[in-house]
């Protein structure tokens, strides 16, 4: 039997890197896609995968990924994304919002369109990493909540449009995940990023989400996980988090 193929976007760190490791451990040949090729090459060497420099906001770059991957993909993990800033609507920078929509929505669309034939050829699965930011609004989250909500509806529409075809369309919606970069990129300051997780008893780790990806990948081809919301025990909602006094 041919080795199963996985493509992971945003694989250079965090959930993407952890998922690439988990899938490789389960026997997948993983195409690790992201912008930072130095990190990808180290990861690919570690797991026996393939490093592909890809900026999902660039159509030509996505076309290059599609050509390299080939004609069959058993699992596509649309993980590339991110948040920029926590400004209120009144003062938010439209350029920040545009960037978030390009990364989380348009980039996801490009990769999905490009690799859909290969996933269908394999009777495979598309797994999308959205966010609990799509569950409900919160102050300072208008841009990111909007972008992740748009991505969620992309997933839902795709599932309806592909009904009857051999493609699973699954969504994982993580809550508070403590990775090395997400809050730092969003806030631009290490102290502010550390404060997000201060006093929280065991925020999720990237490996926790990777385990969910691995589980979905292991299921029979007729089993669809429409949406899986994963939060740490300490996080009851986006705005209610138990913290040590």
């Amino acid at each position: 039997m041919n080795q199963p193929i996985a493509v992971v976007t945003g694989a250079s760190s965090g959930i993407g890197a952890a998922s690439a490791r988990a899938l490789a451990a389960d026997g997948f040949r993983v195409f690790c896609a992201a912008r930072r090729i130095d990190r990808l090459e180290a990861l690919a060497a570690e797991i026996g995968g393939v490093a592909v420099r890809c900026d999902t906001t660039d159509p030509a770059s996505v076309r290059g990924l599609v050509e390299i991957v080939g004609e069959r993909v058993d699992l596509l993990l649309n993980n590339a994304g991110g948040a920029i800033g926590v400004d209120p609507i009144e003062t938010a920078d439209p350029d920040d919002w545009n960037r978030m929509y390009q990364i989380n929505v348009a980039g996801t669309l490009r990769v999905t369109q490009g690799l859909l034939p290969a996933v269908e050829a394999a009777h495979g699965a598309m797994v999308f990493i959205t966010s609990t930011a799509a569950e409900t609004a919160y102050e300072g989250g208008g841009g990111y909540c909007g972008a992740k909500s748009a991505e969620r509806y992309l997933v839902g529409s795709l599932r309806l449009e592909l009904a009857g075809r051999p493609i699973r369309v699954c969504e994982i919606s993580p809550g508070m995940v403590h990775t090395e970069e997400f809050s730092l990129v969003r806030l631009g300051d290490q102290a502010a990023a550390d404060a997000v997780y201060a006093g929280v008893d065991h925020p999720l780790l990237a490996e926790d989400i990777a385990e969910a990806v691995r589980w979905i990948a292991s299921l029979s081809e007729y089993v669809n996980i429409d949406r899986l919301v994963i939060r740490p025990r300490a996080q009851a909602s986006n705005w209610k988090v138990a913290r040590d006094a």
Side-chain angles (χ1 to χ4, degrees), residues 67-151:
E67 291 173 3
I68 290 170
V69 168
E71 297 180 352
R72 194 188 92 249
V73 173
D74 298 271
L75 181 80
L76 166 60
L77 180 61
N78 272 307
N79 168 73
I84 302 172
V86 289
D87 295 326
I89 302 297
E90 186 175 12
T91 58
D93 186 341
D95 289 340
D96 289 344
W97 283 44
N98 181 59
R99 180 65 178 162
M100 283 188 278
Y101 275 80
Q102 283 297 316
I103 297 170
N104 294 284
V105 185
T108 298
L109 174 62
R110 292 185 186 97
V111 174
T112 299
Q113 289 176 330
L115 289 175
L116 194 153
V119 176
E120 185 165 21
H123 290 202
M126 293 184 172
V127 181
F128 298 76
I129 303 296
T130 61
S131 169
T132 54
E135 301 292 324
T136 186
Y138 57 88
E139 294 106 325
Y144 187 57
C145 290
K148 283 302 183 183
S149 295
E151 185 180 11

Side-chain angles (χ1 to χ4, degrees), residues 165-184:
R165 292 164 65 179
I167 304 175
R168 295 194 289 147
V169 180
C170 306
E171 177 188 353
I172 298 174
S173 179
M176 180 180 283
V177 183
H178 192 176
T179 64
E180 66 269 29
E181 291 189 337
F182 179 84
S183 290
L184 179 60

Side-chain angles (χ1 to χ4, degrees), residues 7-114:
V7 177
V8 178
T9 66
S12 60
S13 65
I15 292 170
S19 297
R21 291 186 176 99
L23 292 168
D26 268 11
F28 282 82
R29 185 181 189 217
V30 183
F31 288 80
C32 307
R35 292 174 298 163
R36 294 176 292 185
I37 191 64
D38 55 334
R39 291 193 176 202
L40 292 178
E41 288 174 342
L43 175 63
E46 173 193 337
I47 66 174
V50 181
V52 183
R53 188 189 182 284
C54 179
D55 180 352
T56 63
T57 68
D58 178 358
S61 186
V62 173
R63 287 194 296 270
L65 170 66
V66 172
E67 291 173 3
I68 290 170
V69 168
E71 297 180 352
R72 194 188 92 249
V73 173
D74 298 271
L75 181 80
L76 166 60
L77 180 61
N78 272 307
N79 168 73
I84 302 172
V86 289
D87 295 326
I89 302 297
E90 186 175 12
T91 58
D93 186 341
D95 289 340
D96 289 344
W97 283 44
N98 181 59
R99 180 65 178 162
M100 283 188 278
Y101 275 80
Q102 283 297 316
I103 297 170
N104 294 284
V105 185
T108 298
L109 174 62
R110 292 185 186 97
V111 174
T112 299
Q113 289 176 330

